Amino acid sequence: MTYVESYINQISNDEIKNTVLKTIKNVVPKYIQKFSFREHVTGLLLGNVQSGKTGQMFGLISAAADAGFKLFVLLTTDSVYLQNQTFKRAIRDLIDFEVCDENDETRFFETKLRKPTLIVLKKNTQILKTWKNNISSSKYCDGAPLFIIDDEGDAASMNTKVNKNEQSAIYRHLVGMKKLAASSIYLQVTGTPQPLILQTQKYSELKPSFAYYFEPGFGYMGGNFFFSDPESYVIRLTKETEIEEIKNEDEYISEGLQKAIFCFLVAGAHIMLTGGEVCNFLVHPSIKIKAHNSVRQKIAEFLNTLTQSDEEEIINEQLKDAWLDMQSSKPDIKPYEEIKDYILTELLNETITSENDECKINLITMNSKSSQDIAYDKGLNIIIGGNSLGRGVTFDGLQIVYYSRTAKTPQIDTYWQHCRMFGYNRDKGLLRVFISPLLWKLFRDLNISNQALIDQIVNNKLDNINLLVPKGTRATRKCVVKNDTLIDIVGGANYFPNYPKDDKTDILDELLKSYNDTQDSYDVKIDFLISILQYLESEQQKEWDNKNIISCLQALNSTNNKKCKLIVRRERDIKKGTGTLLSPNDRALGKSYSDKTVLTLYRIKGQRDKGWHDKPLWIPNIKFPANIAFCKTK
């Protein structure tokens, strides 16, 4: 039996099994079976957040073992929760491998690679340094290949000192570990590849040379389910003021959080009454630990008040509202009286004072100050935290989410990783996300941006990708991308060539023969704009790169914002070097279409005394929708 066959046999879910087999079929022949064992290759395995990336990784590890690789390093973020979760799963699923924890140095040296060996490590400076030395001392890589799988490869691995022309410690150790071997495959795995896409070969040895996107399996609930427009039935909009109320120690528990708690009680009661094992509720109020503690205390006090007899009327009213809400999407929910009785007699029959109390509802704070032995895989759990609630940590049975975290300039990759509600193991009818209108709009825009990126990778691989960046956000943290390599195109601004070529006028005349000056503007499709722009080049690519403009349009074509306007003007007598060339009326007309892409085309007479070549020519001026921007590297 091959290693792949052995691993596949461990997967009980047929849908997940099929997605893993599809990934193996598409990746292995191109990048593993054809590996020369004389090179160092970096690749990207892209999946949606919480779409089953670990299963795909294990499938490719097994396939690589069948291809002759013996030593594997699996990197997780610097999180005890995630490293432990990944290690335990590797022990369970890779039964024919020797799986080593970061403390298993003795076992590592004793294996002698008699069977494939996988080391599961956190991306921690000291741990990486220690294991780089262990691998070097073992001589296992002398003349042999190394396979490194970097889970959440966009986090921690990047060189955070690239703009100082230095190397950060973790980046240096990872590059050093890769070079211990005669050859290597370094596979980055993530659902947020923005910083990886923005790397350049000149400044990063971790720039991926190939990418593969694996589609989620049947039943996956992701961005298109939660953050659709119009809003999904699972979304419950809270007041904007709750963002501050939730963090204010002097305030009582906010209205939206109260409603979220009642929905959690109803969902948890139904799940337990129908034989379920777990119902989780995630509260993500802030990055600050102080806020986590404050919110936890508010929730504990609120739950305690529900046990008091004088609160019975409030319970009846709000609990019934929550039950009716859930019933709207879960018609077969347990009857209200049964739900209410279970909540009052089973869930709220004990006072909650600390995380160590014996009670049916567990209140858990999950951050850098928390205990490392946190269990949330059974029972009813309310989990409050910030950064620890992202980046690969999974929450089975996550039914309710309350999210109020804000930032002055949200980073796309960071915020998208906060979407722990994405995944498979949820009851669709009992899902609820409590979020403010502005935050809902942010995540809706991030979903559009994410889909545009996936479509570009699927259609164009890694060639000429433009990241679509919603207004007010940035693609990733500034410290991991070389500043002078970035190209930004901002919506609402006019872009045009100062030195347009005049060699494609006849072709453009034919394409535009149906469009004239008698009409202010035309509604056209993005594909038509692309067909025109391919013939509109500049003598100086730095000031007008039509291929880059086209890639922006291709990114936009993956979104709902496909509205385009074409403005055509002929017989213009304009001198070269007069800026955007637009007349006041045409400038105002283009500006009035603030939510659309506007391409204005002027056919210039091109007289020599005006600075041209005595040949007519077309000059473009393009303006993208005002609420977006695009970002790529040179």
Side-chain angles (χ1 to χ4, degrees), residues 40-106:
H40 295 279
V41 176
T42 301
L44 167 63
L45 179 65
L46 173 63
N48 292 281
V49 170
Q50 302 224 132
S51 63
K53 294 189 293 296
T54 304
Q56 312 294 320
M57 290 190 298
F58 287 177
L60 291 176
I61 288 171
S62 300
D66 286 327
F69 285 83
K70 288 289 188 180
L71 184 59
F72 300 82
V73 177
L74 200 169
L75 304 165
T76 75
T77 55
D78 193 7
S79 162
V80 174
Y81 313 113
L82 185 54
Q83 191 274 340
N84 189 47
Q85 177 179 280
T86 306
F87 173 68
K88 288 180 178 178
R89 184 166 172 183
I91 289 281
R92 184 193 72 190
D93 294 348
L94 299 176
I95 58 176
D96 295 326
F97 282 65
E98 189 73 51
V99 181
C100 296
D101 195 357
E102 52 197 30
N103 299 314
D104 291 335
E105 295 180 51
T106 301

Side-chain angles (χ1 to χ4, degrees), residues 360-553:
K360 293 292 179 67
I361 300 175
N362 301 306
L363 263 65
I364 300 167
T365 52
M366 192 169 174
N367 51 47
S368 59
K369 301 295 183 181
S370 305
S371 166
Q372 305 303 328
D373 299 320
I374 295 177
Y376 44 82
D377 57 344
K378 291 184 180 180
L380 273 67
N381 309 292
I382 302 177
I383 306 156
I384 305 117
N387 290 343
S388 295
L389 302 185
R391 285 289 172 195
V393 181
T394 59
F395 299 90
D396 288 340
L398 178 58
Q399 296 297 144
I400 312 295
V401 173
Y402 180 95
Y403 190 95
S404 62
R405 175 169 171 174
T406 58
K408 289 182 178 179
T409 306
Q411 293 175 179
I412 294 176
D413 51 351
T414 299
Y415 266 66
W416 202 239
Q417 285 288 350
H418 294 167
C419 295
R420 297 296 102 192
M421 72 287 285
F422 293 1
Y424 299 94
N425 187 14
R426 288 93 173 87
D427 185 320
K428 272 191 175 183
L430 299 175
L431 279 168
R432 293 293 183 268
V433 176
F434 290 79
I435 192 169
S436 75
L438 287 177
L439 282 171
W440 171 79
K441 182 181 182 301
L442 170 63
F443 278 99
R444 183 202 62 184
D445 292 345
L446 296 187
N447 181 51
I448 293 171
S449 173
N450 181 67
Q451 193 57 55
L453 174 56
I454 289 173
D455 288 348
Q456 288 183 84
I457 289 176
V458 169
N459 295 322
N460 305 322
K461 304 306 178 187
L462 293 176
D463 182 39
N464 203 24
I465 287 179
N466 252 299
L467 301 181
L468 193 157
V469 184
K471 186 176 182 179
T473 70
R474 58 171 172 257
T476 188
R477 53 206 187 279
K478 294 180 178 180
C479 62
V480 298
V481 181
K482 189 69 171 174
N483 290 335
D484 58 11
T485 67
L486 287 178
I487 301 174
D488 292 307
I489 291 182
V490 181
N494 289 296
Y495 293 91
F496 57 94
N498 283 301
Y499 305 95
K501 290 185 177 180
D502 56 15
D503 57 340
K504 298 292 191 301
T505 303
D506 291 344
I507 297 174
L508 289 164
D509 284 346
E510 180 65 23
L511 282 171
L512 296 166
K513 64 183 180 181
S514 299
Y515 303 89
N516 53 59
D517 299 40
T518 61
Q519 189 166 321
D520 278 348
S521 66
Y522 296 86
D523 292 312
V524 295
K525 295 182 178 179
I526 286 180
D527 289 340
F528 183 63
L529 295 193
I530 291 174
S531 68
I532 294 172
L533 284 161
Q534 64 179 314
Y535 300 112
L536 291 164
E537 299 178 296
S538 171
E539 295 173 2
Q540 296 187 12
Q541 190 179 26
K542 288 183 179 180
E543 56 107 24
W544 169 267
D545 183 349
N546 68 323
K547 291 183 174 62
N548 187 37
I549 296 292
I550 288 172
S551 75
C552 292
L553 288 169

